[in-house]
Amino acid sequence: MLAALVVILVAVVVIFSVQNASPVALSFLFWHFEASLAVVILLTLVLGVIIGMAILSWSRWKRARQKKKEQQGERTGSSRPS
């Protein structure tokens, strides 16, 4: 089942890449270059996933740190004001 899903995903990516192979001009601050539209879209997707994972990890770390502080406060008998 997983192998079939991987094959389908690879096929979709290959079809997408072939259909969007035309070069596009990109400019960002001082950089100017041309790249395939498919590469630009896929790199943008990867960058978005990385940023999303970083934000999620930071949020989970912050929540775990807060929970740890609360548990330490309960163990020592101190209470936080509401």
Side-chain angles (χ1 to χ4, degrees):
M1 177 69 180
L2 183 60
L5 185 62
V6 170
V7 168
I8 291 170
L9 183 62
V10 168
V12 168
V13 169
V14 168
I15 292 169
F16 175 80
S17 298
V18 169
Q19 289 182 346
N20 293 290
S22 60
V24 292
L26 299 171
S27 298
F28 181 72
L29 298 176
F30 303 108
W31 297 298
H32 303 282
F33 56 93
E34 285 191 10
S36 166
L37 179 60
V39 171
V40 171
I41 292 173
L42 292 175
L43 288 177
T44 303
L45 173 68
V46 169
L47 183 62
V49 168
I50 291 170
I51 291 171
M53 289 173 58
I55 291 171
L56 181 62
S57 296
W58 177 77
S59 175
R60 286 184 178 178
W61 174 78
K62 189 175 177 182
R63 191 177 314 127
R65 193 176 74 174
Q66 182 66 30
K67 189 175 182 179
K68 185 177 178 181
K69 283 183 181 180
E70 289 173 0
Q71 288 175 349
Q72 287 176 348
E74 290 173 2
R75 278 191 233 141
T76 61
S78 64
S79 61
R80 290 185 6 195
S82 297

